[in-house]
Amino acid sequence: MNMEQQGSIAVNQLGYRNKDAKIARIAGEGNRRFRLVNHVSGEEVWQGQTLSAFEDAASGIMVSWGDFSAWEQPGTYRIEDEDGQSSYPFMISDVVYEEAHQALLKAFYYFRCGVELEEEYAGPWKHAPCHLTPALVYGEEPRRIDAKGGWHDAGDYGKYVAPGAKAVADLLLAYECYPTAFAEPLPLPESDGVMPDVLHECRYELEWMLRMQDSETGGVFHKLTTLQFPGPDVMPEEDHAELYITPVSATATGCFAGVMAMAARVYAAYDASFAAACLQAAERAWAWLELHPDYPGFRNPPEISTGEYGDEQDMDERYWAAAELYRTTGESRYHQAFQQFARQEAFDKYELGWADMGGYGTISYLMSEQEQDPELAVRLQAGLQQRAAELAAVSSRDGFGISLKPEQYIWGSNMLVMNHAMLLLIADRLSGSPAFERHALEHIHYLLGANVMGISYVTGLGTRSILYPHHRPSEGDGVEAPVPGLVSGGPNYGKQDDYAREHLAGRAPAASFADVMESYATNEVTIYWNSPAVFVLSHFI
């Protein structure tokens, strides 16, 4: 049921910081009176008039904005309109997003593979160790590799290098930009009061990635999965099918080189030997890339039907790897390689998706303390600011304040929502001006309930949050509540699953969502949808 059918008023169900802009999204024609009500006492504390309603192309409804930014008094409130319709309750407080930030980060612990999730840390979502058997290298049987550990990628139990690298990169960038946001322990089994838990968690994935580097060539295997997906309610420890490691790919190797060079820099202050191992691995991966300048894109072998993460274009991954290796080592050969890739027009230099890693290369170069090519740095900075301005312009026209055009409500649209918010904040950071911050914050409001569905797209956060994500442990663990802190993929106009095709036909792009396990095209979860959300929340706490 979308917002129009439900007749609700959409707000961020967690709330708003005292001095931030606060806008309720109200469905319906015309403009109308609305009031702010103390949710505990029922007392009206403030009243206002909405702006004129307009047709929102993405959601397919008429929507007006009720701006109550002027009210800064802490408390728990709700919005009511003149027809008696009410929003879900929300807070106004200086402390709104800390709990959400912790939950989004703690989700990575729940994605862990190869280790027992103990009740002390996992609560009712505990489970036994899983996927401990050494994996067969596909096409090289009987060669086996012990590649246990790391994070399950999504609602299934596959483990993939390129998406994992995006997730780790987002978290390490968040730590580099906002270290104080990670001062509080989660806690984790590794929590020691010395190294922040975000780095303990990233290390768990990085150590798995190190096992995925081919000891003979330095190239990096693309993924580790079973031949087919397990059943929808199979717990990880019950998934006993043979594990396979697929062949080396250039995209995995490029992502690996980039994230390992980044890790070498970040971990140097905490564990010099681990940092050195990461850098050595990155340099071996780079050597493989240099030996294989034109390498075919990855495709699943015929017997394997799990997630492919195919990518014909590997120049963006090489661009990112060169940037991180230069930033970490200062070696001119990496700078020269970066400059060469930067001249290419074959990839986008501001995207932050697992298939388009160019944005990470640009960000690394612009944030680097190494000597820069002045002309190139100016061009990349100008391009970043232009992209951010374009996103802000779309946000200003959108009924719910976000930067997605109707055609961008694709599989994992909430990743784009958070990627865009992340890019807006980084553009601010590199320009020294908070010009885009308010638009980034609207993206958080959208994720947490200020959307046409009137739902928080994060499990366990908000009065009405998703309950039935496409996530096998949440389906099979016997616990009524889903694993908390998981970001749903969100509305998907493509409707690529049977449930969505049958039940969401005719829905507008932003309303093409179903909170059911069967709708994997709209309601799956993944590590790399959580990771940019962690980055964005880090800015606001």
Side-chain angles (χ1 to χ4, degrees):
M1 184 175 290
N2 64 31
M3 176 183 168
E4 186 178 37
Q5 294 165 324
Q6 184 187 12
S8 67
I9 300 168
V11 295
N12 179 333
Q13 294 172 25
L14 292 192
Y16 304 85
R17 298 185 308 175
N18 301 30
K19 296 188 179 301
D20 285 337
K22 310 171 192 73
I23 300 173
R25 314 287 170 168
I26 304 176
E29 298 188 1
N31 57 359
R32 59 187 66 199
R33 303 295 299 176
F34 71 95
R35 60 192 200 131
L36 183 66
V37 175
N38 184 302
H39 188 65
V40 178
S41 69
E43 175 191 2
E44 178 186 309
V45 298
W46 192 86
Q47 147 174 163
Q49 183 90 16
T50 68
L51 299 176
S52 296
F54 62 96
E55 185 173 358
D56 180 50
S59 64
I61 68 168
M62 296 292 292
V63 62
S64 60
W65 298 355
D67 190 335
F68 57 104
S69 303
W71 188 263
E72 298 180 359
Q73 184 69 30
T76 302
Y77 301 94
R78 63 180 183 267
I79 297 288
E80 294 179 355
D81 71 4
E82 59 192 21
D83 296 328
Q85 298 182 114
S86 176
S87 74
Y88 292 113
F90 57 86
M91 285 196 308
I92 294 178
S93 170
D94 274 338
V95 182
V96 178
Y97 303 124
E98 281 74 1
E99 181 182 341
H101 184 261
Q102 290 281 88
L104 289 163
L105 182 57
K106 182 63 177 282
F108 290 89
Y109 172 75
Y110 292 111
F111 277 113
R112 285 192 186 189
C113 179
V115 68
E116 178 186 2
L117 299 192
E118 306 168 44
E119 186 170 5
E120 180 181 354
Y121 303 102
W125 301 283
K126 63 185 185 295
H127 66 74
C130 58
H131 305 105
L132 299 173
T133 308
L136 284 165
V137 179
Y138 188 90
E140 298 183 27
E141 292 94 333
R143 183 184 178 197
R144 287 185 180 270
I145 292 176
D146 182 2
K148 64 176 179 289
W151 298 321
H152 298 140
D153 171 68
D156 62 278
Y157 303 131
K159 297 185 288 189
Y160 307 83
V161 171
K166 176 203 163 24
V168 172
D170 290 340
L171 296 179
L172 294 183
L173 264 176
Y175 174 70
E176 284 192 306
C177 292
Y178 311 109
T180 59
F182 300 95
E184 292 296 318
L186 286 173
L188 299 171
E190 299 86 356
S191 298
D192 57 8
V194 178
M195 190 164 79
D197 280 350
V198 64
L199 301 188
H200 285 300
E201 195 56 65
C202 287
R203 181 169 180 164
Y204 193 79
E205 175 77 349
L206 289 163
E207 288 176 341
W208 168 73
M209 287 185 183
L210 289 169
R211 298 184 189 108
M212 290 290 285
Q213 185 170 37
D214 185 3
S215 59
E216 298 174 7
T217 68
V220 180
F221 298 111
H222 191 77
K223 67 176 190 173
L224 189 162
T225 72
T226 50
L227 294 179
Q228 288 91 34
F229 291 121
D233 60 353
V234 173
M235 288 294 288
E237 65 269 33
E238 296 166 356
D239 182 22
H240 300 303
E242 190 77 77
L243 297 171
Y244 285 87
I245 286 177
T246 54
V248 165
S249 75
T251 52
T253 305
C255 285
F256 176 95
V259 79
M260 286 297 166
M262 191 180 194
R265 184 173 66 249
V266 174
Y267 285 88
Y270 295 101
D271 188 332
S273 62
F274 178 68
C278 289
L279 182 57
Q280 183 180 33
E283 290 177 325
R284 287 195 68 222
W286 180 261
W288 185 95
L289 291 168
E290 288 191 309
L291 288 172
H292 302 86
D294 299 299
Y295 204 74
F298 177 82
R299 286 290 176 263
N300 266 341
E303 291 180 82
I304 298 180
S305 60
T306 52
E308 185 172 71
Y309 288 105
D311 187 358
E312 293 294 338
Q313 170 63 263
D314 61 35
M315 203 171 294
D316 50 316
E317 287 85 4
R318 295 171 186 262
Y319 172 81
W320 178 36
E324 296 290 2
L325 279 161
Y326 178 54
R327 186 178 177 192
T328 297
T329 69
E331 292 186 23
S332 61
R333 62 188 178 114
Y334 298 124
H335 194 195
Q336 291 165 7
F338 179 82
Q339 292 168 300
Q340 179 182 346
F341 288 123
R343 288 193 289 269
Q344 304 300 317
E345 301 295 332
F347 65 96
D348 192 306
K349 296 178 179 62
Y350 306 100
E351 286 293 322
L352 300 171
W354 61 264
D356 300 292
M357 302 294 283
Y360 295 98
T362 298
I363 291 165
S364 179
Y365 191 70
L366 293 177
M367 289 179 66
S368 177
E369 295 178 355
Q370 306 292 355
E371 183 179 354
Q372 295 179 336
D373 174 334
E375 183 181 345
L376 175 57
V378 167
R379 178 159 55 89
L380 291 175
Q381 172 75 289
L384 175 63
Q385 298 301 321
Q386 179 182 342
R387 177 65 59 85
E390 291 167 357
L391 295 175
V394 175
S395 301
S396 296
R397 297 189 299 268
D398 182 76
F400 292 85
I402 66 165
S403 56
L404 295 198
K405 299 175 183 177
E407 64 272 17
Q408 291 180 300
Y409 287 86
I410 59 173
W411 198 323
S413 63
N414 281 337
M415 179 189 75
L416 293 186
V417 172
M418 289 294 103
N419 280 354
H420 289 181
M422 183 173 168
L423 202 74
L424 289 164
L425 292 173
I426 289 171
D428 272 358
R429 184 180 187 87
L430 290 172
S431 71
S433 164
F436 304 122
E437 181 185 57
R438 64 187 179 92
H439 294 292
L441 187 55
E442 292 296 339
H443 290 64
I444 292 177
H445 297 333
Y446 169 92
L447 189 73
L448 295 172
N451 54 66
V452 71
M453 301 302 299
I455 194 169
S456 168
Y457 286 119
V458 187
T459 56
L461 295 179
T463 302
R464 180 175 175 241
S465 60
I466 59 167
L467 295 173
Y468 307 105
H470 184 83
H471 180 241
R472 282 165 176 79
S474 291
E475 182 74 4
D477 61 10
V479 181
E480 183 177 359
V483 170
L486 305 179
V487 175
S488 168
N492 176 7
Y493 197 34
K495 305 177 179 71
Q496 295 99 336
D497 62 67
D498 291 341
Y499 186 96
R501 280 188 288 268
E502 180 181 350
H503 293 88
L504 304 180
R507 290 280 190 93
S512 296
F513 176 79
D515 182 21
V516 295
M517 168 72 173
E518 294 83 357
S519 187
Y520 51 83
T522 73
N523 204 27
E524 192 170 12
V525 298
T526 81
I527 53 175
Y528 55 89
W529 297 342
N530 263 68
S531 57
V534 171
F535 181 97
V536 177
L537 264 292
S538 298
H539 178 88
F540 293 100
I541 62 174

